[in-house]
Amino acid sequence: MHFFSKEETVENVNSTDKEDELDNEIGVALLGCVDEEKCSELCPNEKQTEVINSSIFGTSSSFCKFINCFLGVLDFPLYLPRRLTIPVVSEDKWSKPMAVISATLAPILAVAVSSEGMDSPTSLAIGMTSVLVGLILGNLAFLSTKESRPPKECLLIWLLGGFLMSITWTYVLAQELVSLLVSFGYIIGINPSILGLTVLAWGNSTGDLISNVAMALNGGKDGQQMAISACYAGPLFNTLIGLGVSLVFASWWEYPASYVLPKDPFLCETLGFLMVGLLWALVILPKRNMQPDVSLGVGLLAIYFCFLFLRFAKGL
């Protein structure tokens, strides 16, 4: 057993205090600057960092602002009509004047799009009726809404109106896109059916393709089944609902005369390849115990590329 004297104890305590102070100084020096003025000289603060970043990236940020302004100017002729005809009842975008204007102009635009191709007396009468309906809806919107917040009552009617007007604008833009593609094909000399087969079909299906692939890869055990269901349900909806509604409206516009479909020499060929693809899936899936594998995908891709090859060969 070792006994410490009083002087040794005091010396040991003083030495440990000095060592702790030295360690603290070393630690502070390693982690940061002890003197704030020297630290500000050696290490730039947040404002100095922002100045450095702005000097380095100033040109790129100004270029991005210019691009955003340029794209905003290009988008403004399409944004303003949509904003004036589509009712918006969200909290962050609520505006009572815009709501009143959209409630007034929405029926007029919807009738103008749907009455295309009608006789002049009928279209004039329907147009005057739409103007009257628009004025009534605009007055109701003015009396039933507030400046501070969107309406809480009859919210379903506002949402339904916004949904219908969004569909109307989608139809208008899709029709203009198809017209541009046809004009582009006539200028270059490409068959319009080939443009519809490639540019229009691929552009219309790219979003579905990306979402289905992501679902199949990251959706777990049920992801593949959901992706395959979406692959078949999407074209089924477009074929039955889209084609059915289009034919109903086309026949209604031509009434009492009958609507004549344009002749397409490739119609039977397209339907034949479609039936072959469905039969391939119908044969392969039961053999694989309803579990999709590589043979199903390879077969479908082979059928599609054969279809493209024949159409390009006949079209060009």
Side-chain angles (χ1 to χ4, degrees):
M1 183 179 293
H2 182 73
F3 294 94
F4 290 96
S5 64
K6 187 175 182 180
E7 294 178 355
E8 290 178 350
T9 306
V10 173
E11 288 178 0
N12 290 330
V13 171
N14 293 330
S15 63
T16 53
D17 293 336
K18 291 180 180 178
E19 289 176 0
D20 292 336
E21 291 177 0
L22 182 61
D23 292 335
N24 292 331
E25 290 178 359
I26 294 174
V28 172
L30 289 174
L31 297 177
C33 298
V34 178
D35 193 355
E36 294 181 356
E37 295 180 356
K38 293 180 180 180
C39 181
S40 62
E41 293 178 358
L42 296 176
C43 303
N45 55 15
E46 294 180 358
K47 294 183 179 179
Q48 292 175 350
T49 305
E50 291 177 359
V51 172
I52 294 172
N53 291 332
S54 63
S55 63
I56 295 174
F57 302 103
T59 55
S60 61
S61 62
S62 60
F63 179 74
C64 292
K65 290 180 180 179
F66 173 75
I67 293 297
N68 290 331
C69 293
F70 180 72
L71 294 177
V73 170
L74 291 180
D75 185 60
F76 184 75
L78 285 177
Y79 171 78
L80 184 60
R82 283 182 286 141
R83 187 68 177 88
L84 293 176
T85 53
I86 299 177
V88 179
V89 290
S90 60
E91 293 285 346
D92 54 344
K93 295 183 179 180
W94 169 250
S95 174
K96 182 176 179 178
M98 286 293 181
V100 174
I101 294 173
S102 62
T104 305
L105 298 181
I108 300 174
L109 178 63
V111 171
V113 172
S114 62
S115 63
E116 183 181 358
M118 291 185 179
D119 298 334
S120 56
T122 306
S123 61
L124 180 61
I126 295 176
M128 295 299 293
T129 305
S130 67
V131 171
L132 180 61
V133 172
L135 292 175
I136 294 173
L137 292 178
N139 290 324
L140 291 176
F142 179 78
L143 295 175
S144 61
T145 56
K146 297 181 180 180
E147 293 282 349
S148 58
R149 60 178 178 83
K152 300 295 184 180
E153 300 80 10
C154 301
L155 185 60
L156 182 61
I157 298 177
W158 284 94
L159 295 176
L160 182 61
F163 177 73
L164 293 177
M165 292 309 301
S166 300
I167 293 177
T168 303
W169 272 105
T170 303
Y171 169 77
V172 171
L173 294 177
Q175 191 176 12
E176 294 300 324
L177 178 61
V178 171
S179 301
L180 287 175
L181 285 175
V182 172
S183 302
F184 186 72
Y186 280 128
I187 293 173
I188 299 181
I190 301 177
N191 194 344
S193 62
I194 293 180
L195 288 175
L197 186 68
T198 55
V199 179
L200 186 60
W202 294 342
N204 190 28
S205 303
T206 301
D208 295 335
L209 175 63
I210 294 174
S211 61
N212 292 334
V213 170
M215 181 63 68
L217 294 177
N218 303 319
K221 296 181 179 180
D222 298 332
Q224 295 181 358
Q225 184 177 1
M226 293 177 64
I228 291 179
S229 300
C231 287
Y232 284 101
L236 186 65
F237 178 82
N238 291 330
T239 302
L240 299 180
I241 303 299
L243 187 60
V245 172
S246 300
L247 290 177
V248 167
F249 278 104
S251 302
W252 181 43
W253 288 335
E254 296 293 333
Y255 186 81
S258 60
Y259 178 74
V260 180
L261 290 173
K263 294 183 179 180
D264 187 2
F266 304 106
L267 179 61
C268 295
E269 182 179 341
T270 304
L271 292 177
F273 274 97
L274 180 61
M275 293 176 63
V276 169
L278 294 175
L279 289 175
W280 176 259
L282 186 62
V283 170
I284 293 297
L285 285 176
K287 287 186 176 181
R288 299 292 189 272
N289 196 16
M290 301 306 292
Q291 295 180 357
D293 56 359
V294 180
S295 60
L296 176 62
V298 171
L300 293 176
L301 289 176
I303 294 170
Y304 181 71
F305 284 120
C306 290
F307 170 68
L308 283 182
F309 177 76
L310 291 178
R311 289 298 302 270
F312 273 106
K314 292 182 179 181
L316 297 177

